């Protein structure tokens, strides 16, 4: 079922938005908008089941709070209790879903319930109990209410776990056979029920039901069972005084609630008093969510016998195998005396791993069967100790379960890396989202299908091995940081030649960038400049995380980018003749360098003199005192804000936007505004690209692109940013060449690939469009390659392996691994990153 669900989900997610069954909120575009009316006949029959069997019994005189929240059976529960004569106070009703875990109710939810009980006590008088169910009303929630001493709240509530509720109910029903899972509180083995407990089962109602069927076959007449989470099941038909309660071997919340209350009334005991009679064993359950099932299963396997054997092993009953002693010693590394545990005396492997200690503690770890969750069940001689065991189990980041996970992942990583080194293969890859303030809120979250992301700006998606945001690969079901894969199998991933030249890393970094606001005026150093600058700052003791650090690594950062939407940017210095014209035409700018035109004429086409003049101009604006900057730019911005207009092809639009987006303290102006006039304003249509070599001053103004660069994050800034601006260092690395930038439209090859050529030695970017009826594309060969799916679904096929890449998905193709790319029904669009020449592979049908 899960495999089929994943298949259908991937297909639906790959559909274009216009063809999808779902709207932007993830709900069906059409269909039944409301639930059908409830069936009153079914409700009446369900209530009659209990009123007929318990006829003559009464809850008269009891005052009960029913916590209704969003439970589907909330009104039926109120009606049932009223029919037995109780005074019922409904409270806490909600029309939005309230998650209730009757096995491990959290402190926040307990406070909500106690506040309701306190309010009801003050308004109506003493309350005997709070009762409720979980959301689908098949598990009971029962809390005793006790008077409080001293000032403050008049009462407090006590939560009773589902396994304790089961014991109270089984005694009340006079059961002669009780079936419970191995995770149940072991008080059931110590009290009045000890002689009627059947062999413990695996966790889950199907196993409890099977156990009840075995008890029925053995001739037992009053059979019941329950799960630790409170699901109570009646395994036989009960007959009392001519009345009959039919078997109901499915989880039922109403029978245990009613039984506890009726027993409390009949025995003239408080609800808490019933539970106080049970053997003094206390339990607590806790869980880690979003815990991969594959890792959970490996954890259980690591601490379980490799071969079939007894499910229950005692270390005090005689000799055990060396393998079991090894398991015992391994568990002892995590359940330590420092955490309060005694020696391990017994292990049970019925379902997960249950560990018994000589001080009476029990700890049981077990993965969920249908969710990415790992639970720990704790039993001890006090509630405080049980709570402490559960807390120690799920503590972040280094609790017992997390440390066990680390050990298992280390083992798994070693095995997976060995397998990968023997047989390199394509791997699915997850990028890292960078939440810079200038980023958009829609494009990247929509691309990735992650609706939780837009709470913060999503500026860039990184796919690569840069230490500031390394990607993760899926290796044999395990999420492994790409830098760990490269450390353990670098030559298999990038190839010997590439590794010799660039080391154990991807030589490039692939990004998706969404500029909602203007980015800083910036340039990137050459390789020699980056190495020298990095070493200089290292020797000076400037921390890598320091705000004034210029060089984050030793690499240069040439970059190519392809527009995905209408894209606006500044790129390189304009021709000097244009700059001369603007200094004449814009009156506010004339004082910057009044003799610029004369000095340009004197240069007479000499390239070195022209560069020197441009350098002098830029150095002037970057070193102007702030008062001089304000004196020039304030009047300019004030004039433009009156009639600047909304035409993005005019520099005046970006000047006014920059003034609004980058106001400085004290009303000062950002000198980066000068660069809007000095640099080329470029408008790219989707599919068009530019290349930024070292030293090229540029800025992204608005739009979404796919960007590929050398594996670096070195940036020198020249304004329009709250970040560090180092003018002398920027001047040192800038190239003062002027002219028009090239707009790259790519070279198209048969089969749907467009290659964007650049002089860069580390990378090449191409766009691949696949049609279902068209030929397959071939990728792979020399060096590492990365695929990013922008639309549709792609099947990546190589010997013995097929990966499915849906919208927003990415894949790593290791060196020397050749793959075919096939489009699914709706076609596919991908971007491909690799070494120069690696993208121009022949296509199937074109060879």
């Amino acid at each position: 079922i899960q495999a089929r669900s994943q298949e259908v989900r991937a297909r639906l997610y790959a559909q274009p938005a216009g063809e999808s069954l779902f709207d932007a909120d993830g709900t069906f575009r059409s269909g039944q908008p409301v639930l059908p009316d409830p069936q009153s006949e079914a409700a009446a029959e369900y209530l009659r089941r209990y009123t007929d069997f318990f006829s003559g019994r009464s809850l008269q005189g009891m005052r009960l709070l029913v916590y209704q929240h969003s439970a589907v059976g909330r009104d039926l529960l109120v009606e049932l209790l009223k029919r037995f004569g109780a005074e019922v106070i409904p409270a806490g009703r909600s029309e939005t879903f309230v998650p209730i875990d009757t096995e491990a109710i959290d402190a926040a939810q307990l406070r909500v319930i106690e506040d309701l009980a306190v309010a009801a006590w003050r308004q109506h008088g003493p309350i005997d109990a709070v009762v409720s169910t979980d959301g689908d009303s098949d598990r009971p929630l029962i809390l005793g209410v006790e008077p409080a001493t001293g000032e403050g709240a008049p009462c407090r509530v006590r939560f009773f776990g589902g396994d304790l509720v089961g014991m109270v109910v089984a005694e009340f029903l006079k059961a002669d056979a009780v079936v419970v899972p191995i995770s149940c509180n072991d008080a059931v083995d110590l009290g009045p029920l000890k002689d009627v407990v059947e062999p413990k089962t695996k966790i889950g109602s199907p196993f409890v039901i099977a156990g009840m069927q075995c008890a029925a076959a053995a001739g037992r007449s009053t059979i019941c069972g329950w799960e630790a989470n409170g699901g109570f099941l009646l395994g036989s038909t009960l007959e009392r005084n001519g009345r009959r309660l039919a078997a109901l071997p499915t989880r039922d919340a109403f029978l245990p609630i009613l039984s506890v209350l009726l027993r409390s009334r009949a025995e003239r005991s408080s609800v808490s008093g019933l539970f106080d009679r049970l053997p003094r064993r206390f339990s607590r359950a806790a869980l880690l969510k979003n815990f991969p099932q594959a890792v959970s299963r490996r954890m259980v396997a690591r601490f379980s016998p490799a071969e079939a054997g007894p499910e229950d092993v005692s270390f005090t009953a005689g000799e055990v195998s060396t393998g079991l002693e090894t398991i015992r010693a391994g568990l002892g590394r995590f359940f330590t005396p420092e955490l309060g545990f005694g020696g391990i005396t017994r292990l049970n492997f019925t379902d997960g791993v249950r560990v018994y200690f000589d001080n009476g503690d029990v700890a049981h770890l077990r993965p969920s069967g249908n969710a990415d969750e790992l639970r720990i069940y704790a039993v001890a001689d006090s509630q405080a100790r049980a709570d402490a065991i559960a807390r120690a189990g799920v503590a972040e980041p280094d609790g017992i379960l997390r440390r066990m996970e680390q050990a298992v992942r280390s083992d798994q990583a070693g095995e997976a890396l060995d397998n990968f080194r023997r047989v390199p293969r394509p791997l699915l890859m997850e990028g890292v989202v960078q939440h810079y303030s200038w980023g958009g809120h829609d494009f990247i979250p929509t691309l990735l299908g992650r609706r939780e992301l837009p709470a913060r700006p999503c500026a860039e998606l990184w796919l690569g091995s840069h230490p500031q945001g390394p990607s993760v690969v899926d290796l044999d079901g395990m999420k492994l940081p790409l830098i760990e894969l490269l450390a353990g199998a670098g030559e298999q991933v990038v190839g010997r030649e590439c590794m010799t030249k660039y080391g154990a890393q991807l030589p490039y970094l692939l990004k998706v960038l969404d500029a909602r606001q203007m980015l800083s005026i910036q340039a990137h150093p050459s390789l020699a400049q980056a190495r020298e600058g990095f070493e200089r700052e290292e020797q000076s003791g400037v921390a890598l995380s320091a705000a004034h650090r210029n060089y984050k690594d030793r690499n240069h950062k040439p970059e190519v980018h392809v527009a995905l939407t209408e894209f606006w940017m500044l790129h390189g210095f304009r021709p000097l003749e244009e700059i001369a014209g603007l200094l004449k035409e814009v009156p506010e700018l004339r004082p910057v360098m009044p003799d610029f035109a004369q000095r340009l004429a004197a240069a007479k086409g000499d390239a070195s003199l022209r560069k020197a003049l441009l350098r002098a101009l830029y150095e002037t604006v970057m070193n102007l005192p702030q008062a001089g900057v304000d004196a020039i730019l304030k009047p300019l911005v004030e004039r433009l804000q009156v009639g600047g207009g909304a035409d993005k092809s005019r520099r005046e639009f970006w000047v006014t936007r920059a003034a609004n987006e980058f106001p400085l303290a004290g009303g000062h102006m950002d000198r980066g505004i000068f660069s809007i006039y000095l640099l080329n304003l470029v408008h790219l249509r989707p599919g068009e690209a530019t290349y930024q070599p070292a030293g090229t001053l540029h800025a992204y103004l608005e739009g979404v692109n796919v960007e590929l660069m050398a594996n670096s994050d070195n940036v020198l800034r020249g304004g329009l940013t709250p970040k560090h601006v180092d003018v002398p260092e920027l001047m040192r690395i800038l190239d003062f060449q002027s002219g028009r930038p090239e707009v790259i439209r790519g070279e198209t090859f048969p089969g749907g690939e467009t290659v964007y050529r650049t002089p860069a030695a580390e990378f090449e970017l191409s766009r691949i469009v696949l049609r279902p009826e068209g030929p397959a594309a071939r990728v792979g060969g020399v060096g590492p390659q990365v695929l990013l799916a922008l639309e549709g679904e792609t099947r990546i096929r190589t010997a013995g392996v097929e990966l499915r890449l849906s919208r927003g998905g990415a894949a790593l193709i290791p060196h020397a691994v050749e793959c075919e790319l096939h489009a699914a029904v709706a076609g596919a669009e991908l971007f491909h990153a690799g070494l120069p020449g690696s993208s121009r592979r022949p296509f199937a049908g074109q060879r």
Side-chain angles (χ1 to χ4, degrees):
I1 291 173
Q2 290 176 342
R4 178 62 176 154
S5 296
Q6 291 173 354
E7 178 183 331
V8 173
R9 186 178 296 117
R11 175 168 51 81
L12 292 178
Y13 287 176
Q15 290 178 329
E19 300 175 14
S20 176
L21 297 171
F22 306 97
D23 62 19
D25 294 324
T27 57
F28 283 108
R29 293 182 186 275
S30 61
Q32 182 71 14
V34 295
L35 291 172
D37 293 333
Q39 297 181 11
S40 57
E41 298 85 353
E45 181 66 21
Y46 187 50
L47 294 178
R48 193 158 48 244
R49 165 182 172 81
Y50 302 108
T51 55
D52 287 355
F53 181 73
F54 290 112
S55 176
R57 295 178 179 268
S58 173
L59 298 178
Q60 192 75 33
M62 293 192 84
R63 182 177 291 126
L64 305 171
L65 178 94
V66 173
Y67 176 39
Q68 292 199 297
H69 60 93
S70 58
V72 297
R74 57 193 177 187
D75 295 324
L76 277 181
L77 181 57
V78 170
E79 178 64 23
L80 177 69
L81 299 177
K82 284 182 176 179
R83 290 191 183 190
F84 279 89
E87 179 185 346
V88 181
I89 305 168
R93 191 180 185 93
S94 172
E95 298 310 315
T96 58
F97 178 67
V98 177
I100 297 289
D101 187 344
T102 60
E103 181 178 12
I105 191 165
D106 60 38
Q109 189 59 251
L110 204 57
R111 284 195 297 272
V112 169
I113 296 172
E114 186 159 85
D115 289 345
L116 293 173
V118 167
W121 186 294
R122 285 174 171 156
Q123 182 177 355
H124 300 280
I127 305 295
D128 292 293
V130 176
V131 294
S132 186
T133 71
D134 64 339
D136 54 354
S137 292
D138 67 350
R139 291 185 285 162
L141 179 64
I142 301 176
L143 302 99
V145 183
E146 302 170 351
T149 57
E151 298 180 358
C155 62
R156 65 185 184 93
V157 299
R158 280 180 62 190
F159 165 72
F160 303 111
D163 46 6
L164 298 181
V165 171
M167 295 176 211
V168 172
V169 176
E171 286 185 50
F172 178 67
L173 297 179
K174 297 180 171 57
D176 61 4
V178 165
V179 181
V180 294
I182 188 63
S183 59
C184 185
N185 186 313
D186 59 15
V188 73
D189 302 312
L190 305 174
L193 297 173
K194 64 182 179 181
D195 295 327
V196 298
V197 177
E198 298 290 309
K200 302 284 179 64
T201 74
K202 291 185 176 183
I203 299 169
S205 53
F207 300 107
V208 175
I209 293 168
M212 293 194 301
Q213 291 171 339
C214 291
R220 306 290 190 270
S221 61
T222 305
I223 308 167
C224 63
W226 61 86
E227 302 169 273
N229 63 15
F232 193 89
L233 305 100
L234 185 60
S236 62
T237 296
L238 305 186
E239 295 189 8
R240 302 282 192 275
N241 303 318
R243 291 186 288 273
R244 191 170 178 272
L245 185 66
L248 187 61
T250 187
R251 295 195 300 208
D252 179 13
F254 283 20
L255 177 59
I257 290 173
L258 193 56
S259 295
V260 168
L261 297 175
L262 289 172
R263 183 178 174 187
S264 168
R265 196 64 179 154
E267 298 180 13
R268 298 183 179 181
S269 167
S270 68
V271 168
S272 296
L274 296 179
F275 290 90
D276 288 339
R277 299 176 199 171
L278 297 173
R280 305 292 288 177
R281 295 288 284 165
F282 300 85
S283 59
R284 179 66 69 193
L287 62 84
L288 292 175
K289 294 186 176 181
N290 301 317
F291 198 100
Q293 294 184 52
V295 179
S296 296
R297 289 192 292 269
R298 282 181 172 267
M299 288 174 63
V300 171
R302 181 179 184 183
F303 298 107
S304 299
E307 298 180 356
E311 290 185 338
D312 198 279
V313 177
S314 172
F315 292 94
T316 60
E319 290 189 6
V320 297
S321 69
T322 302
L324 288 168
E325 284 290 1
T326 301
I327 292 172
R328 180 190 192 187
L331 289 165
R333 292 172 46 207
F334 303 99
F335 297 95
T336 62
E338 290 77 15
L339 293 174
F341 293 100
I344 297 174
T345 59
R346 180 181 161 200
L347 296 174
N348 187 286
F349 307 106
T350 299
D351 196 351
V353 180
R354 191 172 180 89
V355 189
Y356 299 80
F357 303 88
D358 59 14
N359 63 349
D361 290 347
V362 178
H364 181 175
L365 63 98
R366 188 255 184 186
S368 170
N370 57 9
D372 284 339
E373 296 175 348
L374 178 63
R375 291 182 183 268
I376 183 169
Y377 303 88
V379 184
D381 290 332
S382 72
Q383 189 63 60
R385 177 57 185 160
D387 293 347
I389 295 172
R391 283 196 305 271
V394 298
E396 297 286 10
D398 57 356
I400 295 170
L401 297 185
R402 286 300 186 194
R403 288 189 291 112
M404 296 176 81
E405 176 194 12
Q406 290 167 10
V408 168
R409 285 187 181 276
S410 179
D411 292 346
Q412 184 183 5
E415 295 173 11
L417 283 170
D418 286 343
N419 292 336
F420 182 83
R421 281 190 290 264
R422 284 193 296 270
V423 185
R425 56 199 180 277
L427 303 174
L428 294 178
M429 185 177 183
E430 293 179 9
V432 174
V433 177
Q434 303 287 9
H435 300 280
Y436 307 136
S437 61
W438 48 261
H441 291 277
D442 298 321
F443 190 90
I444 291 175
T446 301
L447 176 67
L448 299 177
R450 294 175 57 185
R451 294 175 62 192
E452 80 280 6
L453 284 176
R456 301 163 63 192
C458 296
E460 296 180 350
L461 171 67
W462 287 20
L463 292 160
S465 59
H466 195 280
Q468 299 298 318
S471 296
V472 171
V473 294
D474 187 332
L475 185 62
D476 295 345
M478 177 184 61
K479 303 297 186 183
L480 185 72
L482 178 56
I483 53 177
E484 291 186 22
L485 176 69
L486 290 163
E491 188 171 320
Q492 287 77 14
V493 175
V494 304
R496 181 172 300 175
E497 182 179 344
C498 183
M499 190 165 176
T500 300
K501 191 171 184 180
Y502 301 112
Q505 63 173 350
L506 295 193
Y508 49 77
L509 178 61
L510 181 64
K511 294 182 181 180
V512 176
L513 182 147
D514 181 7
R516 173 177 53 90
Q517 295 180 335
M518 302 167 69
L519 277 66
S520 61
I521 308 294
Q522 59 185 260
H524 310 299
S526 68
L527 186 57
Q529 291 166 343
R531 288 174 176 171
E532 186 276 328
F534 184 88
E535 296 301 334
R536 174 164 29 93
E537 290 188 327
E538 285 288 282
Q539 292 172 10
S540 299
V542 182
L544 270 176
S545 59
H548 63 287
R549 177 97 185 201
N550 290 317
Y551 296 93
K552 302 297 181 66
D553 50 63
R554 296 177 174 86
N555 206 7
H556 63 162
K557 192 184 176 185
E559 56 193 18
V560 64
H561 72 109
V562 179
L564 298 180
T565 64
E566 299 289 318
F567 197 88
W568 295 87
M569 68 179 297
L570 302 173
H571 186 292
F573 288 105
R574 300 170 68 181
L576 297 191
E577 288 72 18
E578 289 187 11
I579 294 176
L582 82 91
L583 291 177
K584 179 180 178 182
E585 294 165 7
V586 181
E588 294 87 353
L589 296 180
R590 290 172 190 164
V592 172
M593 187 175 279
D595 61 344
F596 182 87
Q598 291 83 354
R599 294 172 66 175
L600 177 60
K604 296 182 179 179
D606 186 308
S608 62
L609 291 178
R610 289 170 66 90
K611 283 188 175 183
L613 176 59
L614 181 56
R615 180 187 183 95
L617 173 64
Y618 191 66
E619 203 162 33
T620 297
V621 299
M622 293 304 292
N623 287 300
L624 268 179
Q626 186 62 53
V629 173
D630 294 342
I632 293 173
L633 292 182
K634 276 189 176 181
L636 172 62
V637 170
E638 289 172 0
R639 174 172 65 83
L640 296 180
Q641 284 177 336
V642 174
D647 185 353
K648 294 180 182 179
S649 66
R650 295 178 56 81
R651 296 171 193 277
E652 291 78 6
F653 172 87
W654 301 104
V655 169
T656 54
R657 175 181 280 193
N660 292 329
E661 289 186 357
F662 299 98
L664 300 183
H668 295 303
M669 304 301 295
D670 191 311
R671 70 185 66 241
I673 292 175
F674 286 117
S675 294
I676 298 175
Y677 284 102
L678 300 180
L679 302 182
N680 291 288
L681 177 60
V682 180
H683 177 205
L684 299 178
R685 274 75 177 180
E688 296 180 335
T690 63
Y691 174 67
Q692 287 80 244
T696 299
L697 200 61
H698 63 281
Y700 294 159
L701 302 179
E702 182 182 274
V704 182
N705 68 19
V706 168
E707 192 174 23
L708 185 61
M709 63 199 65
N711 188 25
S712 173
D713 196 31
N714 285 327
V715 179
L716 279 301
R717 299 176 178 86
L720 301 187
T721 177
K723 295 182 179 180
H724 177 58
V725 175
D726 186 333
V727 173
E729 191 66 18
L730 176 65
M731 298 300 299
R732 194 177 73 84
I733 67 104
L734 276 183
D735 180 358
F736 288 97
Q737 183 70 40
S738 61
R740 295 282 185 205
E742 178 188 4
V743 174
I744 307 170
R745 292 177 175 83
E747 182 178 357
T748 301
F749 289 83
E753 183 179 29
T754 301
V755 180
Y756 296 89
R757 298 175 183 272
T758 74
E762 292 91 344
F763 59 78
E764 187 167 79
L765 182 65
S766 70
R767 174 175 172 264
I768 301 173
V769 177
L770 299 172
R771 306 296 180 195
E773 68 282 359
R778 294 187 70 223
V779 297
V782 178
Q785 301 179 40
V786 173
L787 294 171
L788 169 64
L790 279 189
E791 295 291 347
E793 180 180 304
T794 302
R795 291 180 175 87
I796 305 173
R797 292 176 182 169
T798 188
V801 176
E802 177 174 301
L803 297 180
R804 294 189 176 193
L805 210 58
S806 298
R807 187 170 191 263
L812 173 68
I813 313 297
H815 168 73
V817 175
E818 296 196 357
C819 306
E820 284 193 343
L821 308 181
H822 297 264
V825 175
E829 179 182 348
L830 307 97
F831 275 86
H832 169 271
L835 297 178
S838 63
S839 59
R840 294 184 294 281
R841 305 286 301 168
F843 286 77
Q846 303 291 332
R847 298 195 291 275

